[in-house]
Amino acid sequence: MPKIDLEKETIERLDNLRIDDETYDEIINELINIYEAEELTLSFAGDRLE
């Protein structure tokens, strides 16, 4: 897995989003899943004709 460096502000923001003992990997995966779900919703928003 690639290693990335985060700014202190980013780590603080992630800490504010964490629930209980959630790891950074878990919170980042959750954020990616939310982003992907939103992108899918937005990409199909105006494509339907009835």
Side-chain angles (χ1 to χ4, degrees):
M1 176 172 271
K3 185 174 181 174
I4 60 170
D5 294 317
L6 300 174
E7 294 180 7
K8 184 178 178 181
E9 180 182 334
T10 303
I11 294 171
E12 289 172 356
R13 291 177 71 185
L14 287 172
D15 285 339
N16 288 334
L17 294 172
R18 290 170 69 190
I19 299 172
D20 298 326
D21 292 331
E22 194 171 34
T23 66
Y24 288 120
D25 284 344
E26 291 170 328
I27 188 67
I28 290 170
N29 279 323
E30 185 175 339
L31 290 170
I32 290 170
N33 290 338
I34 292 168
Y35 173 80
E36 288 175 343
E38 296 268 331
E39 184 69 25
L40 182 61
T41 301
L42 292 174
S43 68
F44 290 108
D47 291 346
R48 297 191 178 173
L49 297 174
E50 295 191 30

